[in-house]
Amino acid sequence: MSNTHSTSTTPASGSMATLSGLLPFLRPYRRQFAIAGIALVIAACATLTIPYAFRQMIDMGFSKIGDGGTHGIEHVNLTFLALFGVAVILGIATAARFYMVSWIGERVTADIRNAVYAHVVTQSPEFFETTQTGEVLSRLTTDTTLIQAVVSTSISLALRNLLLFIGGLVMLFITSPMLSSIIIVMLVLVIVPIILFGRRVRQLSRDSQDRIADASAVAGEILNAMPTVQAYTHEQIEAQRFSSSVEHAFSTAMRRIRARSLLTMIAVLLIFGAIVFVLWLGAHAVMQGEMSGGKLGQFILYASIVAGAMGALSEVMGEAQRAAGATERLLELMSVQSPITNPVMACALPQKDMHGATVDVDHVFFHYPSRPESAALSEIQLSIKAGETIALVGSSGAGKTTLFQLLLRFYDPQQGKIRIDGVDIKELGLHTLRGTIGIVPQDTVIFSANALENIRYGRVDASDEEVIQAAKLAAAHEFIERLPEGYQAFLGERGVRLSGGQKQRIAIARAILKNPRLMLLDEATSALDAESERLVQQALETAMQGRTTLIIAHRLATVQRADKIIVLEHGRIVETGNHAELIAHGGVYAHLASLQFHLA
């Protein structure tokens, strides 16, 4: 991310130690790892017996045949029969290993995606002020796919080749200590440049993942704003912007691929060059009678196993380096801590016969974290009685919606306290607090589901009858019934199949179904025509009975009926009173009324 909220304690950027952050996700599957490990050891042992069998075949079989004996033929037959048995064991063990590690990879990836998503949805709006959703989606998809490849394939291959490498080295020393010593010294000289160059590959892997995330962020932003893009005929401009982002990601990926290709070439040339040199020495030892042909054959096969294992390990290291970058990005996301947290010992709201809640806002000061230089609210002092209807009025940016966000504890004020029914909202569990409040936002959110489930979002355990009753109260029942499939009608992504007024009524029905003590209406009737506004206004008046209601509104009908009108300007309360009092006062409200309600 370009902006990080993390106080991360993850290892340094690009460090392979970052992969240790996956351990909490791997630990629950220790039994599956043990089964895969047993299969892995069996397969490696089976592979390591093959060169010994070839040595026996050459020294005890072919040489006997050359001497004219029949015993050598029997020995060759037995050797090949044993090799077939080894192949059967190897096949079964390899299949078992592949199944278990693939299962672990899929399971761990699913667990990581669930954990990251569950963590992200608990973040406060402050997190989303500076983080693009496309970036988060890239981490949930592309980065977890890389981790899946490492867990389900690379770890298994790394362990397999590590076992083959160690086992092969041991057998090399048993076969010929002198040649093995030479090969070890040369391999050490080879490994050093490979490790140093691998660091460059690791950094490029991280850069590549960041560029892919940037492209995803651009795509997500544009796809969510297609009507605006098309209305301004910016299709080609936005296509070009996305293309530039994709090309940037491509060029970064190509730098990574070139570096990895060069790393692979260096590894293969140096490793196999060292082995060829040692085998040349071995061939001379056979010609001089210092080593049998079978022993040299065995040494060659073990050397091939060691070289192949090293080559595979260098490939796995490349994948692991990419996964280290992906893991670092995911751990970065997981380490972000929301400043809005549940209290350790949450209080309960007092039980009341009536539904309305008292609200006290005590000397509240607040500025948004992304705009610390300008105060959104200053010295806000409010006392609202249970069942009162309060209208918040003011020009755009006056702080009306900000007050709603503080009531919902999307943010905490830098100074002052907010109490509901006498309890500081910081002492309430977030579910308790937000369960007490119903909100109809200005920008209505409609989910990709049918009308029934969209309204039921207000209370998931509500019956169909309760949902329909809420829709009737919100004047939504009639238009829903006219939809092709009624309440089962799919409303489209973000409610594209509905008009603005219809979406608003779905949101009002959702809030009514929740049956909260405190109702927040943010321009709840702003998108309605005159007839729908009249119907919804009547429904809201019914829904507001016995509840405390705060309304952000400019419509005269709503404001006139409020028990009290609070006028905000530049984050401060400048006037308080009812409609008649404020008109008579001739201040800010009277001026707004003259502009918006044509009363002047």
Side-chain angles (χ1 to χ4, degrees), residues 3-24:
N3 297 284
T4 305
H5 310 256
S6 166
T7 54
S8 174
T9 56
T10 56
S13 178
S15 170
M16 291 293 288
T18 306
L19 289 173
S20 63
L22 296 177
L23 288 176

Side-chain angles (χ1 to χ4, degrees), residues 207-208 210-219 222 235-253 255:
D207 293 344
S208 180
D210 286 343
R211 298 297 75 74
I212 292 169
D214 291 343
S216 296
V218 170
I222 299 309
E235 294 93 337
Q236 292 302 317
I237 294 172
E238 295 302 345
Q240 184 58 45
R241 188 157 75 97
F242 179 71
S243 177
S244 298
S245 185
V246 169
E247 288 302 317
H248 192 189
F250 172 76
S251 62
T252 306
R255 286 200 300 275

Side-chain angles (χ1 to χ4, degrees), residues 457-527:
Y457 203 83
R459 182 160 56 87
V460 292
D461 60 349
S463 65
D464 290 358
E465 291 73 21
E466 288 174 313
V467 170
I468 292 168
Q469 181 59 31
K472 288 178 178 176
L473 287 171
H477 178 72
E478 188 178 342
F479 83 78
I480 293 174
E481 286 282 272
R482 289 200 301 266
L483 294 173
E485 296 174 44
Y487 279 87
Q488 297 301 322
F490 177 67
L491 302 183
E493 189 175 1
R494 301 189 312 281
V496 293
R497 298 184 180 183
L498 300 179
S499 69
Q502 289 172 334
K503 287 193 281 190
Q504 201 83 22
R505 280 178 276 172
I506 291 281
I508 292 168
R510 189 186 290 161
I512 290 172
L513 181 66
K514 190 176 183 180
N515 193 28
R517 290 190 195 181
L518 175 61
M519 187 83 84
L520 307 179
L521 308 176
D522 189 351
E523 294 281 13
T525 60
S526 63

Side-chain angles (χ1 to χ4, degrees), residues 62-381:
F62 292 161
S63 60
K64 299 291 184 185
I65 294 170
D67 294 337
T70 58
H71 182 68
I73 296 172
E74 292 174 4
H75 197 89
V76 169
N77 291 339
L78 284 172
T79 301
F80 274 99
L81 189 62
L83 279 173
F84 179 74
V86 169
V88 171
I89 294 170
L90 182 61
I92 293 170
T94 302
R97 171 188 61 81
F98 174 78
Y99 176 83
M100 288 312 304
V101 295
S102 296
W103 184 92
I104 292 168
E106 294 288 346
R107 183 66 266 163
V108 168
T109 304
D111 291 348
I112 290 172
R113 283 181 178 145
N114 287 335
V116 172
Y117 188 78
H119 183 72
V120 168
V121 296
T122 63
Q123 298 305 306
S124 69
E126 178 186 342
F127 172 81
F128 296 99
E129 277 186 45
T130 50
T131 306
Q132 293 176 299
T133 53
E135 169 96 4
V136 176
L137 292 174
S138 172
R139 298 191 185 202
L140 280 170
T141 52
T142 310
D143 289 357
T144 51
T145 301
L146 281 175
I147 290 170
Q148 179 185 2
V150 168
V151 174
S152 63
T153 306
S154 299
I155 288 178
S156 172
L157 284 176
L159 291 173
R160 174 178 176 272
N161 285 289
L162 188 62
L163 285 174
L164 290 177
F165 178 74
I166 294 169
L169 275 181
V170 170
M171 294 307 295
L172 281 176
F173 272 97
I174 291 172
T175 307
S176 175
M178 182 192 71
L179 292 179
S180 300
S181 299
I182 295 170
I183 208 169
I184 288 298
V185 171
M186 296 190 72
L187 287 177
V188 168
L189 296 174
V190 165
I191 288 170
V192 172
I194 291 173
I195 291 173
L196 293 174
F197 195 72
R199 291 178 181 173
R200 169 67 176 160
V201 176
R202 194 157 55 232
Q203 182 55 48
L204 288 171
S205 297
R206 169 68 196 250
D207 293 344
S208 180
Q209 290 306 111
D210 286 343
R211 298 297 75 74
I212 292 169
D214 291 343
S216 296
V218 170
E221 180 185 11
I222 299 309
L223 291 176
N224 284 328
M226 280 313 297
T228 303
V229 171
Q230 292 175 351
Y232 283 89
T233 64
H234 275 214
E235 294 93 337
Q236 292 302 317
I237 294 172
E238 295 302 345
Q240 184 58 45
R241 188 157 75 97
F242 179 71
S243 177
S244 298
S245 185
V246 169
E247 288 302 317
H248 192 189
F250 172 76
S251 62
T252 306
M254 287 310 300
R255 286 200 300 275
R256 171 181 57 79
I257 291 167
R258 280 193 294 271
R260 276 203 62 189
S261 300
L262 188 58
L263 175 62
T264 302
M265 184 186 74
I266 291 170
V268 170
L269 284 178
L270 293 179
I271 291 167
F272 278 90
I275 289 170
V276 167
F277 173 71
V278 172
L279 293 181
W280 175 75
L281 295 176
H284 277 270
V286 172
M287 288 188 289
Q288 293 167 9
E290 298 171 2
M291 181 185 285
S292 70
K295 187 177 280 191
L296 178 61
Q298 176 178 314
F299 189 88
I300 290 171
L301 288 174
Y302 279 127
S304 299
I305 288 173
V306 170
M310 281 201 68
L313 283 170
S314 70
E315 282 288 319
V316 169
M317 283 293 288
E319 288 299 318
Q321 283 155 1
R322 287 190 73 194
T327 303
E328 184 182 8
R329 285 157 48 84
L330 284 169
L331 293 178
E332 218 173 66
L333 203 56
M334 289 288 286
S335 67
V336 175
Q337 295 301 318
S338 174
I340 308 301
T341 56
N342 278 303
V344 178
M345 296 291 290
C347 296
L349 284 169
Q351 296 295 320
K352 299 169 67 175
D353 293 333
M354 65 181 298
H355 291 295
T358 62
V359 178
D360 294 292
V361 182
D362 188 7
H363 296 93
V364 163
F365 290 81
F366 174 73
H367 59 253
Y368 285 99
S370 60
R371 304 188 297 277
E373 69 287 346
S374 59
L377 293 174
S378 299
E379 191 63 36
I380 299 298
Q381 180 80 25

